[in-house]
Amino acid sequence: EAEVAQSPRYKITEKSQAVAFWCDPISGHATLYWYRQILGQGPELLVQFQDESVVDDSQLPKDRFSAERLKGVDSTLKIQPAELGDSAMYLCASSLRAGSEQFFGPGTRLTVL
Amino acid sequence: GQQLNQSPQSMFIQEGEDVSMNCTSSSIFNTWLWYKQDPGEGPVLLIALYKAGELTSNGRLTAQFGITRKDSFLNISASIPSDVGIYFCAGLSGSRLTFGEGTQLTVNP
């Protein structure tokens, strides 16, 4: 497929609950990225995968966030437990290879109450 | 870390006018990308620039990769109402993409 797919599009949860987001990159894209975008700002990288391996998770809050891409295709980002400050848009992007242009999915809007 | 300064922060124009926005950085980038984001959606890639000095067009959009590799601009000619949205520049260094803070464009019919 020629688009990055994400689900759900919207998620409302209470603080301390667990949430999970799913991403299916463009077919054949080896590199997958998760970004967080706070309203009024540009996206900021959380984690980058090359195939099934994490190559950059330096900005991922590892005490509560985890990400996996077990078979090197689709990916899941999890937050447990969610905090009020996690409310944001979570964007997935993919690229043919590291260093090539990145294409974004529609995002998941998370609201933590 | 790397920072991109994008200006202006917002623009209010009349339909038919031309628009210009730019990004500057203290760091060198290998690639400059320009994205447009509509409310509640992900960024959509508009133009990619790969070489210093490169000038690229995509319909009514024209973008340039600065000679110093530290800046880029985007022009939109003859704006139309559907040009409304937030435009982001992004610099690519290695595989790390750094975004500007966006330019909010409003087009009055």
Side-chain angles (χ1 to χ4, degrees):
Chain A
E1 53 279 22
E3 292 183 343
V4 178
Q6 288 189 249
S7 68
R9 292 293 312 274
Y10 306 94
K11 179 70 178 177
I12 300 175
T13 190
E14 294 184 342
K15 63 180 181 179
S16 80
Q17 296 298 304
V19 292
F21 314 130
W22 176 80
C23 172
D24 192 14
I26 293 172
S27 180
H29 279 196
T31 314
L32 184 147
Y33 314 80
W34 284 100
Y35 287 85
R36 178 168 58 187
Q37 185 179 27
I38 295 168
L39 196 62
Q41 299 181 17
E44 293 185 335
L45 181 70
L46 290 173
V47 61
Q48 176 186 340
F49 288 91
Q50 181 65 34
D51 300 311
E52 67 276 7
S53 301
V54 173
V55 296
D56 185 353
D57 64 356
S58 57
Q59 301 302 311
L60 189 71
K62 298 181 191 62
D63 56 334
R64 297 185 299 108
F65 286 64
S66 63
E68 60 183 18
R69 193 185 184 199
L70 293 176
K71 296 183 179 179
V73 180
D74 59 335
S75 175
T76 302
L77 177 70
K78 296 179 181 177
I79 308 175
Q80 182 173 19
E83 296 180 352
L84 295 178
D86 295 333
S87 295
M89 174 78 94
Y90 290 83
L91 294 161
C92 179
S94 70
S95 62
L96 190 61
R97 59 186 179 280
S100 60
E101 58 266 32
Q102 297 179 21
F103 298 89
F104 284 80
T108 297
R109 167 70 66 187
L110 173 66
T111 301
V112 182
L113 303 176
Chain B
Q2 296 171 322
Q3 284 191 314
L4 294 186
N5 298 309
Q6 186 172 350
S7 64
Q9 278 191 319
S10 61
M11 301 184 73
F12 298 83
I13 63 171
Q14 294 296 124
E15 183 177 358
E17 290 183 358
D18 297 344
V19 169
S20 184
M21 58 193 78
N22 68 83
C23 268
T24 60
S25 171
S26 58
S27 303
I28 288 173
F29 291 106
N30 300 321
T31 301
W32 281 93
L33 305 173
W34 284 90
Y35 291 89
K36 178 176 184 275
Q37 187 172 26
D38 292 330
E41 300 292 332
V44 174
L45 183 63
L46 299 174
I47 288 182
L49 302 156
Y50 303 102
K51 294 195 306 185
E54 180 181 354
L55 184 71
T56 296
S57 293
N58 177 8
R60 295 179 294 106
L61 277 60
T62 301
Q64 185 158 28
F65 192 146
I67 289 291
T68 64
R69 296 170 63 194
K70 293 182 179 180
D71 63 308
S72 178
F73 72 75
L74 174 71
N75 287 340
I76 305 173
S77 62
S79 58
I80 59 178
S82 62
D83 290 335
V84 166
I86 302 178
Y87 291 79
F88 288 99
C89 62
L92 191 59
S93 179
S95 60
R96 175 65 70 98
L97 194 58
T98 302
F99 281 83
E101 297 210 339
T103 295
Q104 172 73 62
L105 178 63
T106 302
V107 180
N108 297 313

